[in-house]
Amino acid sequence: MKTFDDLVFVKHHLESGGVRAQMFFENGYGVSVIRGPFTYGGSEGLWEVAVLRGSEEDYEVYYDTPVTDDVLGHKTESEITEAMRQVQELPKSDPPAK
């Protein structure tokens, strides 16, 4: 099971001073975890996570899962790990529609 500690962060190209990590799982889902001055909780040192569907080459932010129907903001590292666990346990997804 992948956790927050497995994420590799890089500078966020849209969020000045922000960082972002993406990770995709075998079930066809993934997560985008970001923190920056304009993210939900970023100014407090907290994280924002979105559920992705697809692969590194072709993905979309996906809002129709039992995990969430939006992005999750104001999250601690342990809460990001919990969201990642839930995403990894989702049933296998079809690829995004073209």
Side-chain angles (χ1 to χ4, degrees):
M1 187 71 58
K2 299 293 184 181
T3 70
F4 182 91
D5 291 335
D6 295 306
L7 296 170
V8 176
F9 288 92
V10 296
K11 289 182 181 181
H12 192 291
H13 67 282
L14 296 177
E15 199 53 43
S16 178
V19 293
R20 176 181 190 213
Q22 284 183 300
M23 182 175 285
F24 291 88
F25 309 116
E26 292 181 17
N27 62 356
Y29 290 100
V31 293
S32 173
V33 179
I34 62 174
R35 181 173 66 193
F38 303 107
T39 60
Y40 296 119
S43 63
E44 299 138 29
L46 298 173
W47 299 92
E48 178 181 315
V49 61
V51 176
L52 307 176
R53 182 174 71 160
S55 66
E56 285 188 44
E57 297 78 30
D58 183 26
Y59 65 88
E60 64 185 0
V61 177
Y62 195 62
Y63 298 104
D64 188 21
T65 71
V67 177
T68 185
D69 60 359
D70 201 347
V71 298
L72 300 170
H74 304 274
K75 298 298 178 193
T76 63
E77 292 176 11
S78 63
E79 290 171 319
I80 295 295
T81 291
E82 175 57 19
M84 290 173 68
R85 181 193 64 76
Q86 292 175 27
V87 171
Q88 290 172 82
E89 291 178 351
L90 291 170
K92 187 163 177 57
S93 168
D94 294 326
K98 298 262 179 190

PDB file of all heavy atoms in Angstrom, residues 47-61:
ATOM      1  N   TRP A  47      -2.396  20.058   3.064  1.00  0.00           N
ATOM      2  CA  TRP A  47      -2.382  19.541   1.699  1.00  0.00           C
ATOM      3  C   TRP A  47      -3.767  19.485   1.089  1.00  0.00           C
ATOM      4  O   TRP A  47      -4.768  19.412   1.804  1.00  0.00           O
ATOM      5  CB  TRP A  47      -1.775  18.144   1.698  1.00  0.00           C
ATOM      6  CG  TRP A  47      -0.364  18.137   2.184  1.00  0.00           C
ATOM      7  CD1 TRP A  47       0.052  17.940   3.475  1.00  0.00           C
ATOM      8  CD2 TRP A  47       0.802  18.371   1.418  1.00  0.00           C
ATOM      9  NE1 TRP A  47       1.420  18.037   3.544  1.00  0.00           N
ATOM     10  CE2 TRP A  47       1.903  18.292   2.292  1.00  0.00           C
ATOM     11  CE3 TRP A  47       1.035  18.619   0.075  1.00  0.00           C
ATOM     12  CZ2 TRP A  47       3.209  18.452   1.858  1.00  0.00           C
ATOM     13  CZ3 TRP A  47       2.343  18.784  -0.352  1.00  0.00           C
ATOM     14  CH2 TRP A  47       3.406  18.704   0.542  1.00  0.00           C
ATOM     15  N   GLU A  48      -3.789  19.451  -0.249  1.00  0.00           N
ATOM     16  CA  GLU A  48      -5.007  19.255  -1.028  1.00  0.00           C
ATOM     17  C   GLU A  48      -4.783  18.032  -1.910  1.00  0.00           C
ATOM     18  O   GLU A  48      -3.707  17.859  -2.474  1.00  0.00           O
ATOM     19  CB  GLU A  48      -5.255  20.490  -1.887  1.00  0.00           C
ATOM     20  CG  GLU A  48      -6.454  20.418  -2.785  1.00  0.00           C
ATOM     21  CD  GLU A  48      -6.604  21.682  -3.615  1.00  0.00           C
ATOM     22  OE1 GLU A  48      -6.471  22.796  -3.077  1.00  0.00           O
ATOM     23  OE2 GLU A  48      -6.849  21.544  -4.834  1.00  0.00           O
ATOM     24  N   VAL A  49      -5.806  17.177  -2.029  1.00  0.00           N
ATOM     25  CA  VAL A  49      -5.676  15.967  -2.848  1.00  0.00           C
ATOM     26  C   VAL A  49      -6.881  15.852  -3.774  1.00  0.00           C
ATOM     27  O   VAL A  49      -8.006  16.162  -3.381  1.00  0.00           O
ATOM     28  CB  VAL A  49      -5.517  14.698  -1.973  1.00  0.00           C
ATOM     29  CG1 VAL A  49      -6.712  14.468  -1.077  1.00  0.00           C
ATOM     30  CG2 VAL A  49      -5.244  13.470  -2.824  1.00  0.00           C
ATOM     31  N   ALA A  50      -6.607  15.429  -4.999  1.00  0.00           N
ATOM     32  CA  ALA A  50      -7.658  15.144  -5.976  1.00  0.00           C
ATOM     33  C   ALA A  50      -7.506  13.699  -6.423  1.00  0.00           C
ATOM     34  O   ALA A  50      -6.386  13.179  -6.533  1.00  0.00           O
ATOM     35  CB  ALA A  50      -7.542  16.072  -7.176  1.00  0.00           C
ATOM     36  N   VAL A  51      -8.626  13.052  -6.697  1.00  0.00           N
ATOM     37  CA  VAL A  51      -8.620  11.699  -7.254  1.00  0.00           C
ATOM     38  C   VAL A  51      -8.484  11.822  -8.770  1.00  0.00           C
ATOM     39  O   VAL A  51      -9.164  12.629  -9.404  1.00  0.00           O
ATOM     40  CB  VAL A  51      -9.908  10.942  -6.883  1.00  0.00           C
ATOM     41  CG1 VAL A  51      -9.936   9.564  -7.540  1.00  0.00           C
ATOM     42  CG2 VAL A  51     -10.049  10.815  -5.372  1.00  0.00           C
ATOM     43  N   LEU A  52      -7.598  11.026  -9.333  1.00  0.00           N
ATOM     44  CA  LEU A  52      -7.387  10.984 -10.775  1.00  0.00           C
ATOM     45  C   LEU A  52      -7.864   9.644 -11.312  1.00  0.00           C
ATOM     46  O   LEU A  52      -7.891   8.656 -10.586  1.00  0.00           O
ATOM     47  CB  LEU A  52      -5.902  11.157 -11.105  1.00  0.00           C
ATOM     48  CG  LEU A  52      -5.202  12.375 -10.517  1.00  0.00           C
ATOM     49  CD1 LEU A  52      -3.712  12.337 -10.853  1.00  0.00           C
ATOM     50  CD2 LEU A  52      -5.844  13.659 -11.011  1.00  0.00           C
ATOM     51  N   ARG A  53      -8.205   9.641 -12.604  1.00  0.00           N
ATOM     52  CA  ARG A  53      -8.537   8.380 -13.280  1.00  0.00           C
ATOM     53  C   ARG A  53      -7.741   8.336 -14.572  1.00  0.00           C
ATOM     54  O   ARG A  53      -7.727   9.307 -15.328  1.00  0.00           O
ATOM     55  CB  ARG A  53     -10.024   8.304 -13.578  1.00  0.00           C
ATOM     56  CG  ARG A  53     -10.431   6.987 -14.227  1.00  0.00           C
ATOM     57  CD  ARG A  53     -11.905   6.874 -14.388  1.00  0.00           C
ATOM     58  NE  ARG A  53     -12.364   7.789 -15.436  1.00  0.00           N
ATOM     59  CZ  ARG A  53     -13.517   7.656 -16.072  1.00  0.00           C
ATOM     60  NH1 ARG A  53     -14.344   6.694 -15.744  1.00  0.00           N
ATOM     61  NH2 ARG A  53     -13.853   8.520 -17.006  1.00  0.00           N
ATOM     62  N   GLY A  54      -7.036   7.230 -14.785  1.00  0.00           N
ATOM     63  CA  GLY A  54      -6.234   7.072 -15.989  1.00  0.00           C
ATOM     64  C   GLY A  54      -4.819   6.654 -15.661  1.00  0.00           C
ATOM     65  O   GLY A  54      -4.581   5.880 -14.740  1.00  0.00           O
ATOM     66  N   SER A  55      -3.879   7.218 -16.421  1.00  0.00           N
ATOM     67  CA  SER A  55      -2.461   6.907 -16.247  1.00  0.00           C
ATOM     68  C   SER A  55      -1.668   8.201 -16.353  1.00  0.00           C
ATOM     69  O   SER A  55      -2.221   9.246 -16.681  1.00  0.00           O
ATOM     70  CB  SER A  55      -2.003   5.931 -17.331  1.00  0.00           C
ATOM     71  OG  SER A  55      -2.078   6.564 -18.604  1.00  0.00           O
ATOM     72  N   GLU A  56      -0.377   8.116 -16.127  1.00  0.00           N
ATOM     73  CA  GLU A  56       0.462   9.318 -16.218  1.00  0.00           C
ATOM     74  C   GLU A  56       0.354   9.988 -17.584  1.00  0.00           C
ATOM     75  O   GLU A  56       0.447  11.201 -17.695  1.00  0.00           O
ATOM     76  CB  GLU A  56       1.924   8.971 -15.931  1.00  0.00           C
ATOM     77  CG  GLU A  56       2.174   8.724 -14.468  1.00  0.00           C
ATOM     78  CD  GLU A  56       3.652   8.574 -14.168  1.00  0.00           C
ATOM     79  OE1 GLU A  56       4.453   9.373 -14.697  1.00  0.00           O
ATOM     80  OE2 GLU A  56       3.993   7.663 -13.403  1.00  0.00           O
ATOM     81  N   GLU A  57       0.153   9.202 -18.625  1.00  0.00           N
ATOM     82  CA  GLU A  57       0.087   9.739 -19.978  1.00  0.00           C
ATOM     83  C   GLU A  57      -1.284  10.324 -20.322  1.00  0.00           C
ATOM     84  O   GLU A  57      -1.391  11.186 -21.188  1.00  0.00           O
ATOM     85  CB  GLU A  57       0.422   8.643 -21.004  1.00  0.00           C
ATOM     86  CG  GLU A  57       1.826   8.086 -20.883  1.00  0.00           C
ATOM     87  CD  GLU A  57       1.966   7.089 -19.738  1.00  0.00           C
ATOM     88  OE1 GLU A  57       0.993   6.394 -19.393  1.00  0.00           O
ATOM     89  OE2 GLU A  57       3.067   7.027 -19.151  1.00  0.00           O
ATOM     90  N   ASP A  58      -2.348   9.832 -19.699  1.00  0.00           N
ATOM     91  CA  ASP A  58      -3.705  10.241 -20.056  1.00  0.00           C
ATOM     92  C   ASP A  58      -4.602  10.098 -18.831  1.00  0.00           C
ATOM     93  O   ASP A  58      -4.967   8.987 -18.465  1.00  0.00           O
ATOM     94  CB  ASP A  58      -4.231   9.369 -21.205  1.00  0.00           C
ATOM     95  CG  ASP A  58      -5.611   9.787 -21.662  1.00  0.00           C
ATOM     96  OD1 ASP A  58      -5.975  10.971 -21.499  1.00  0.00           O
ATOM     97  OD2 ASP A  58      -6.329   8.924 -22.206  1.00  0.00           O
ATOM     98  N   TYR A  59      -4.918  11.216 -18.201  1.00  0.00           N
ATOM     99  CA  TYR A  59      -5.721  11.159 -16.986  1.00  0.00           C
ATOM    100  C   TYR A  59      -6.656  12.354 -16.908  1.00  0.00           C
ATOM    101  O   TYR A  59      -6.541  13.322 -17.653  1.00  0.00           O
ATOM    102  CB  TYR A  59      -4.836  11.096 -15.736  1.00  0.00           C
ATOM    103  CG  TYR A  59      -4.013  12.340 -15.520  1.00  0.00           C
ATOM    104  CD1 TYR A  59      -4.520  13.426 -14.805  1.00  0.00           C
ATOM    105  CD2 TYR A  59      -2.727  12.444 -16.042  1.00  0.00           C
ATOM    106  CE1 TYR A  59      -3.772  14.571 -14.616  1.00  0.00           C
ATOM    107  CE2 TYR A  59      -1.974  13.583 -15.855  1.00  0.00           C
ATOM    108  CZ  TYR A  59      -2.493  14.638 -15.143  1.00  0.00           C
ATOM    109  OH  TYR A  59      -1.748  15.767 -14.958  1.00  0.00           O
ATOM    110  N   GLU A  60      -7.593  12.238 -15.970  1.00  0.00           N
ATOM    111  CA  GLU A  60      -8.520  13.327 -15.666  1.00  0.00           C
ATOM    112  C   GLU A  60      -8.736  13.367 -14.168  1.00  0.00           C
ATOM    113  O   GLU A  60      -8.578  12.351 -13.488  1.00  0.00           O
ATOM    114  CB  GLU A  60      -9.859  13.111 -16.377  1.00  0.00           C
ATOM    115  CG  GLU A  60     -10.593  11.862 -15.898  1.00  0.00           C
ATOM    116  CD  GLU A  60     -11.868  11.565 -16.682  1.00  0.00           C
ATOM    117  OE1 GLU A  60     -12.202  12.322 -17.601  1.00  0.00           O
ATOM    118  OE2 GLU A  60     -12.527  10.557 -16.359  1.00  0.00           O
ATOM    119  N   VAL A  61      -9.058  14.543 -13.650  1.00  0.00           N
ATOM    120  CA  VAL A  61      -9.517  14.627 -12.266  1.00  0.00           C
ATOM    121  C   VAL A  61     -10.905  14.003 -12.266  1.00  0.00           C
ATOM    122  O   VAL A  61     -11.733  14.297 -13.128  1.00  0.00           O
ATOM    123  CB  VAL A  61      -9.553  16.085 -11.770  1.00  0.00           C
ATOM    124  CG1 VAL A  61     -10.108  16.145 -10.352  1.00  0.00           C
ATOM    125  CG2 VAL A  61      -8.167  16.705 -11.818  1.00  0.00           C
TER     126      VAL A  61
END
